[in-house]
Structures are given as C-alpha cells and as structure tokens.
Amino acid sequence: MPDLRKDPIVGRWVIVSTARSRRPVDYKAFKSEYRYQVCPLCAGQEDKTPPEVLAYRPHGGLPNSPGWTLRVVPNKFPALMVEGSLDREGVGLYDKMNGVGAHEVVIETPEHRKTLASFSEKEFEDLLWAYRDRILDLKKDARFRYIMIFKNYGEPAGASLEHSHSQLIALPVIPTVVIEEMLGAKSHFEEKERCIFCDIIRQEIMDGSRLVAENQEFVAITPFASRFPFEVWILPKRHASSFQEGQKSQYEALAKIFLDVLKRLNKALMNPPYNFILHTAPLQDKASDNYYHWHFEIMPTLTQVAGFEWGTGFYINPTPPEEAAQFLREITIP
Amino acid sequence: MPDLRKDPIVGRWVIVSTARSRRPVDYKAFKSEYRYQVCPLCAGQEDKTPPEVLAYRPHGGLPNSPGWTLRVVPNKFPALMVEGSLDREGVGLYDKMNGVGAHEVVIETPEHRKTLASFSEKEFEDLLWAYRDRILDLKKDARFRYIMIFKNYGEPAGASLEHSHSQLIALPVIPTVVIEEMLGAKSHFEEKERCIFCDIIRQEIMDGSRLVAENQEFVAITPFASRFPFEVWILPKRHASSFQEGQKSQYEALAKIFLDVLKRLNKALMNPPYNFILHTAPLQDKASDNYYHWHFEIMPTLTQVAGFEWGTGFYINPTPPEEAAQFLREITIP
C-alpha cells in the first residue's frame, strides 16, 4: 500500500510508493556530454559577457579580465530588466506591472568542464560568499522584494549552458512558493510558539531514518514528504530566517555538508541532473524572523512532472525518503 | 520590457517576454516516433490489461474482447490502491494515510497509432462521455473527495505509453491546486457576488485578443497570465461547477471546440507534446457551486520547468498569449 504523506509546512500531499520502490540503478543515468571546450563563461572570454558585477581575484587583476576564480555577470538574455519603474496597472480584471528585476549569472569556476561536486571546500565556500555578497548589494534596491538563487545542472534539469553556473533573480514581488511556506510556518508558530523547521530538525535528528549527513551547524535530510526521489534539504541548526545573516563559521560548515551531499548524490545516482534552490526570507520582512528558517532544497531530476502533478500540485515519489537517505548514508566518500 | 502578469484566480505571477517573443517555429518540433505496432492497449490484447470497468461496444460483444471503440481499465501499475481504508495517522509532526484511491486508464481508441487530434467529433464526444460515466460511478465511493482526469501526450509531456490514452485518479484528499483555485474564486465571489471565471469569459469575448475559438456553449482562450506558450483553456459559457452535470448538447459542443483547438495546436506547433487537465469541483462540495467553474486546461510542452519555477511557483513564458491566440486563430482547419 503506498503512503500518502503531507508536507507539514505547505500541506502538499505526496504519494510515496513503498511496495515497488525504485533504487538508484532503476533511474536512467544521465550522460553529461560536453559539447564545447570553451564558452562565453570561460576564463579569457570576459568580453563575451556583460561587464561583471562581482568577481573574486585572489591575486588581483583588472575587472573583466582573466585571473578570477568566481565571477558574477548580468544575464545576457535576462528574464527581467533592471532599468525602469514598476508601473502597476489594471487591465479590466487583470493586474500587470513592468518586468523589473535583476537576472544574474554566477559563474562558479573559470574552468569549462569542472562540476560543482568536484569543488574544493574553499571553492564551494566562495560560492556561498558570492551569493551573500550579491544579496547584500541587491537588497539596497527598494524595488526588490525577493532574491531567488538557484542552480540548474544538466540539460534535463533545465541548464542551457554547460559551464558550471547558478542564477540569481531579484523580483519585485514575493514568490507564491515562499508565501505558502511563510503562511504554513506562521500558523505553526502562532499555535505553538516554535519554528516548524526547528521542530522538523529536532524530530529528524532524533529519528535518524531520514538523516543524510550532519555537522555542528547543519543537517541534511530527505524530507518526510519528499516530492522527488533523493530530494535533500540542508538546514542550519541555529534558527535564522535569512541566508545572508550567517557567521563565517556557518558558511564553512555549509560548504562542507553541501559538498558532501553533492558527492553522495553524484556517486549514488551517477552524476544526476539536479536543481537546487535557496529558500530564504523576503527582503525587508522582519515579521518572519521568528518563524521562517532558511535552507537549501536539492532536487535530482529523475522523474518527469506531467498532467497529474500539474493538475493536483501533488507528486508521486517512487523512492521512499527513508530508503533514499540510507542509500546516501552508505556511500563512501574518499 | 517584459510584462509581469498576475493570474486573477490563484494570484500566480508570470513573466511574459514581449520583446524577443518566440513564434511557433522557434520551438523545437517534437518527433513522434512510434516504436511499436501493437501494445497491451490495442484491440485484441484485452487479456493484457486488468478487466475493464467501462467499454463502449457499438455493435455489442463480450466484456474484455475486441469490438470496443473506447475502453477504461484499472492501471496495471496504480499510483494508489483501490482496496483499503484511509487510516489517517500522525508520525510526530507529520501526517500520513494509506494511499487509497483509484487509478484508471482511458484507452481512447482501439488503434495503436491514432492521435486524439485526428478523432471524429463523435469519437471525441464518446471520450467526454466516458469521463462523465467514470466520474458518476466513482463518486459513489465515499472515500474519494476528488477525481482528477488528465492526459499526457508524447514522451516530453510524460506519456510512458504511446497508444492514445488519458488517465483518471480518484483521490481521498482535495488537491492543493484545486484548493487554491477555489479560495481565489470564493474570495472574488464574496466581494462581487459574481463567478470570476464568468467575469473572465465576458472580458475575453469583449476584448477578443486572446480568443482562439468560440461556439454557442464554449470559449477557448489563451489566458492573460499563461504559464506556458500556447496554453489554452476551454471554458463553458454557462456557469457550472462540475463537468459531469452538463447536458448532451454541451458535450457535443465541447467535442467540437476541443477538437478544433487540438487541430490548431497540432498544425501550428507540428504535433506538440501536451498535457490537458480537467478542472472540476470536488465531489460532494455544494458550497462551491456558486463560485467554481469547471474547465479544461491544455498545456503544450515547449519549455522546460527548472529551478526558477520550482523555487518561485512563477513561470517565464516566451510567447505572449495575444500572439499565441493570433497564431492559432489564423490556422486554417480543413
């Protein structure tokens, strides 16, 4: 009998197959085939991107020239435009506004064929600092209400460039997904005066069956109502609503656990395509400090989303998270 | 400057590119390659499926034997199990219940290589009757609160069988997507004492720019905040919350307009993969009769959903619905 499991934060139901559950080998392996040797995101190609808004050059050097280890540039084909005012407008029944926002590409490495899972801890930590630096900079722009950071790795996960990169989109409205999470977390807080994410972390550490990795500052778990097989969330043990307000030691610890999780996924699922998304509180939202809890959600692309998911908002997950966690725990990382 | 447009029912924002908008030829054509001549859904293969729960045999004949024009069978690998009780249970913070439900396959034709777009009006109407017949039958089971009917056509849209079919899933809980639609529609009704869908239909007929097709009973529109390029909704002009309560003349009119829309999409986008979903009121929910309005949503699979969409619940649509509607209107159907 399959389980119907409810996500305690947003109330979303997931059908978890328990009878014929799928192991890692049952998913089609993703063949990452590099088509190019070099691309506009590579070192030496700096003139092929818009001018950088941030770069780490450990040995110095001129902007928009080689020598960088990480570089952030505006997206050449942005989904939203950074210039302009919001101009909210009604069209009969409908609401619209100008598509004002920032859309940036975080070039994670100067090397065309280096994947995130093979980063050093220092390189990974720098990526987290870059996210933080960009959030702090864009936060000053009063038009923006939310900053969404995410990564699409591999074509099946929506990556259109093969060079390792993540993306940042600053939005003039708060995303629906974030609003739903906040409403769920708020209602839990109002009832119990506790953060629901803190409650989840406590229960998962005690239970252990969905624990993938843990260090002093973070836990990595396969959530109880995982939408996708081998979905992993990484949450800070210390309650905090916003990613950018962490201390140095936390980014170090996050780099360690994040890399560890990516290596495990990589080995268990043979280099799977994936998305990861930073869930953090809206900008200038002090009210949610008590009840919202930032975290990363990592979702390997192993199944397809189709009519059922579109129509219901529910998901069918053929690998119970307890089994996924066990597979991932048992991986040995050199 | 792109548009940020808000769906008036659920409040979802969509980024609509207006500058470099994509025309039909800019989307990669889908090559539908049939791998098989015959499959377990074909005429003569009735013993390869679980026994039928419904079949139309215009010239009579025995159950589970050839002679049918349409046949409904339980899914051989169901996502939910039809036997059993719900057994709601708490697991610490979490809620779960048994995965009780029905999962059926509507075999739309006995012919392996016939597509829905090439159906006759009579054949299409029969499909609608089959949906209705199954809803009326499953509605008697008090464990079910919602019946979700959908179709995945083509591998990119999630179809795992190439023989033309749709699916029905009876659920013991109301889907999140439906709850959100109902909440939005209810709040509009409470404020204005009008159905929001009726308001949309009136505005779209008056405006005309997003109208794809119209007959006495139905309109087909590209919604103002279309998530996907060439997304089309078909709505009954007469207010009604539930699909299964229509009159014969309505199913005839629906078959006509639905086929017309599929033919237009098929010609404009060269046989695109798509999903369609029936949105109808929950079973045994009399309260929503006033404010909910059943309809079909058809979504061609032309773009990929990735990190941005997962993280935000927003969508990026590279073809403005006004342009999509114009393309579809200008198609000539023989």
Side-chain angles (χ1 to χ4, degrees):
Chain A
M1 174 74 74
D3 267 3
L4 264 171
R5 301 189 181 188
K6 191 181 185 178
D7 179 273
I9 305 152
V10 297
R12 169 181 56 220
W13 288 93
V14 173
I15 301 172
V16 178
S17 310
T18 46
R20 291 175 316 114
S21 87
R22 290 173 73 179
R23 294 156 304 147
V25 295
D26 299 327
Y27 295 103
K28 214 169 25 178
F30 163 60
K31 285 193 198 64
S32 151
E33 275 164 22
Y34 284 99
R35 263 177 286 184
Y36 305 103
Q37 292 287 343
V38 71
C39 80
L41 306 191
C42 286
Q45 308 296 311
E46 293 76 12
D47 58 334
K48 306 225 168 47
T49 64
E52 65 200 31
V53 291
L54 175 73
Y56 295 156
R57 286 192 170 74
H59 308 293
L62 288 174
N64 303 306
S65 71
W68 50 276
T69 54
L70 180 151
R71 191 166 177 254
V72 184
V73 298
N75 194 314
K76 208 166 174 174
F77 306 104
L80 296 162
M81 298 290 170
V82 81
E83 314 285 342
S85 60
L86 291 175
D87 291 344
R88 287 171 182 269
E89 189 187 335
V91 187
L93 265 178
Y94 305 129
D95 296 295
K96 70 173 195 175
M97 62 169 112
N98 278 337
V100 167
H103 189 174
E104 301 180 351
V105 177
V106 181
I107 311 172
E108 298 164 344
T109 166
E111 290 173 52
H112 189 72
R113 298 187 173 196
K114 183 161 183 169
T115 64
L116 204 49
S118 66
F119 272 33
S120 71
E121 281 172 16
K122 168 72 174 72
E123 287 167 331
F124 205 102
E125 200 191 317
D126 274 355
L127 175 61
L128 300 173
W129 286 112
Y131 291 164
R132 182 174 176 277
D133 285 349
R134 291 309 303 146
I135 293 176
L136 292 177
D137 186 34
L138 287 161
K139 203 175 181 297
K140 294 176 207 150
D141 191 321
R143 296 170 306 167
F144 301 149
R145 301 191 53 199
Y146 197 80
I147 293 172
M148 169 62 51
I149 286 174
F150 62 97
K151 180 178 172 78
N152 303 334
Y153 170 67
E155 223 181 314
S160 51
L161 299 167
E162 50 188 41
H163 190 124
S164 197
H165 69 287
S166 25
Q167 295 180 68
L168 175 156
I169 297 192
L171 292 160
V173 286
I174 302 175
T176 325
V177 166
V178 177
I179 291 177
E180 283 162 13
E181 271 185 319
M182 305 241 299
L183 286 176
K186 190 179 176 192
S187 119
H188 186 90
F189 186 82
E190 280 169 354
E191 194 191 333
K192 302 185 197 275
E193 295 190 47
R194 295 194 310 263
C195 162
I196 189 163
F197 295 92
C198 291
D199 278 359
I200 290 173
I201 294 166
R202 264 189 296 270
Q203 179 165 341
E204 293 302 343
I205 290 176
M206 230 158 61
D207 177 287
S209 67
R210 283 174 295 270
L211 212 57
V212 175
E214 186 183 357
N215 64 26
Q216 207 164 346
E217 296 282 355
F218 289 88
V219 284
I221 60 164
T222 53
F224 175 77
S226 294
R227 285 156 293 183
F228 306 104
F230 295 89
E231 178 176 346
V232 177
W233 292 7
I234 300 178
L235 305 108
K237 290 181 180 174
R238 282 196 240 182
H239 178 80
S241 66
S242 297
F243 168 77
Q244 69 273 15
E245 282 157 24
Q247 299 179 351
K248 174 137 177 54
S249 60
Q250 282 187 291
Y251 297 110
E252 285 167 13
L254 178 55
K256 279 198 175 67
I257 198 167
F258 211 136
L259 254 181
D260 180 68
V261 167
L262 288 185
K263 282 179 202 289
R264 285 175 195 278
L265 287 170
N266 197 37
K267 204 164 163 188
L269 298 162
M270 318 237 286
N271 185 28
Y274 63 81
N275 303 110
F276 72 62
I277 294 153
L278 170 60
H279 288 239
T280 183
L283 305 174
Q284 280 101 25
D285 181 349
K286 286 278 122 209
S288 63
D289 278 3
N290 280 329
Y291 58 80
Y292 194 73
H293 194 120
W294 74 267
H295 61 282
F296 276 95
E297 301 187 3
I298 310 170
M299 302 163 330
T301 310
L302 302 168
T303 48
Q304 256 182 314
V305 168
F308 176 71
E309 291 79 6
W310 291 124
T312 55
F314 293 178
Y315 294 82
I316 300 176
N317 179 356
T319 303
E322 296 74 23
E323 291 182 27
Q326 195 184 338
F327 275 116
L328 294 175
R329 276 197 308 268
E330 285 171 1
I331 295 286
T332 34
I333 299 296
Chain B
M1 175 75 72
D3 267 3
L4 265 171
R5 300 189 182 189
K6 191 181 186 178
D7 178 274
I9 305 152
V10 297
R12 171 181 54 221
W13 288 93
V14 173
I15 300 172
V16 178
S17 310
T18 46
R20 291 175 316 114
S21 87
R22 290 173 73 179
R23 293 156 305 147
V25 293
D26 300 326
Y27 295 103
K28 215 170 20 178
F30 162 60
K31 284 192 198 65
S32 152
E33 276 163 21
Y34 284 99
R35 264 177 286 185
Y36 305 103
Q37 291 287 341
V38 71
C39 80
L41 305 191
C42 286
Q45 308 296 311
E46 292 77 10
D47 59 335
K48 306 226 167 50
T49 63
E52 65 200 31
V53 291
L54 175 73
Y56 294 157
R57 286 191 171 73
H59 308 293
L62 288 173
N64 303 306
S65 71
W68 51 275
T69 54
L70 180 150
R71 192 166 176 253
V72 183
V73 299
N75 194 313
K76 207 167 176 175
F77 307 105
L80 296 163
M81 298 291 171
V82 80
E83 313 286 343
S85 61
L86 291 176
D87 291 345
R88 287 171 181 268
E89 189 188 334
V91 188
L93 264 178
Y94 305 129
D95 296 296
K96 69 173 195 173
M97 61 168 113
N98 278 337
V100 167
H103 189 173
E104 301 180 350
V105 177
V106 181
I107 311 173
E108 297 162 347
T109 166
E111 291 175 51
H112 189 72
R113 299 188 171 195
K114 184 163 184 168
T115 64
L116 204 50
S118 67
F119 272 34
S120 70
E121 281 173 15
K122 168 72 175 71
E123 287 167 330
F124 206 102
E125 198 190 318
D126 274 355
L127 175 60
L128 301 173
W129 286 111
Y131 292 164
R132 182 174 178 275
D133 285 349
R134 292 308 303 145
I135 293 175
L136 291 177
D137 186 34
L138 287 161
K139 201 174 181 300
K140 294 175 206 150
D141 190 323
R143 297 171 306 167
F144 300 149
R145 301 190 54 199
Y146 197 81
I147 293 172
M148 168 63 51
I149 287 174
F150 61 97
K151 180 180 173 75
N152 303 334
Y153 170 67
E155 223 181 314
S160 50
L161 299 166
E162 50 188 42
H163 191 124
S164 196
H165 70 287
S166 26
Q167 295 181 67
L168 175 155
I169 296 192
L171 291 160
V173 286
I174 302 175
T176 325
V177 165
V178 178
I179 292 177
E180 282 161 14
E181 271 185 318
M182 303 240 301
L183 285 176
K186 190 179 177 193
S187 119
H188 186 90
F189 187 82
E190 280 169 355
E191 193 191 336
K192 301 185 197 276
E193 294 190 47
R194 295 193 310 262
C195 162
I196 189 164
F197 296 92
C198 291
D199 277 359
I200 289 173
I201 293 166
R202 264 187 297 269
Q203 180 165 341
E204 292 302 342
I205 290 175
M206 231 160 60
D207 177 286
S209 66
R210 283 174 296 271
L211 211 56
V212 175
E214 186 182 358
N215 64 27
Q216 206 163 345
E217 295 282 355
F218 289 88
V219 284
I221 59 163
T222 53
F224 175 77
S226 294
R227 286 156 293 183
F228 305 104
F230 294 89
E231 178 175 348
V232 177
W233 292 7
I234 300 178
L235 306 108
K237 291 182 181 175
R238 282 196 239 183
H239 178 80
S241 66
S242 299
F243 168 77
Q244 68 272 17
E245 283 156 23
Q247 299 179 352
K248 174 137 176 54
S249 61
Q250 282 187 290
Y251 298 109
E252 286 168 12
L254 177 55
K256 279 197 174 69
I257 198 167
F258 210 135
L259 254 181
D260 180 66
V261 167
L262 288 184
K263 283 179 201 288
R264 287 175 193 277
L265 287 170
N266 197 37
K267 205 165 163 186
L269 298 162
M270 318 239 285
N271 185 27
Y274 62 81
N275 305 108
F276 70 64
I277 295 153
L278 170 59
H279 289 238
T280 183
L283 305 174
Q284 279 101 24
D285 180 350
K286 285 280 124 207
S288 63
D289 277 4
N290 281 328
Y291 58 79
Y292 194 73
H293 194 122
W294 73 268
H295 61 283
F296 276 96
E297 301 188 2
I298 310 170
M299 302 163 330
T301 310
L302 302 168
T303 48
Q304 256 182 315
V305 168
F308 176 72
E309 290 79 5
W310 291 123
T312 55
F314 293 177
Y315 294 83
I316 300 176
N317 178 355
T319 304
E322 296 74 22
E323 290 182 28
Q326 195 185 338
F327 275 117
L328 294 174
R329 277 197 307 268
E330 286 171 0
I331 296 285
T332 34
I333 300 295

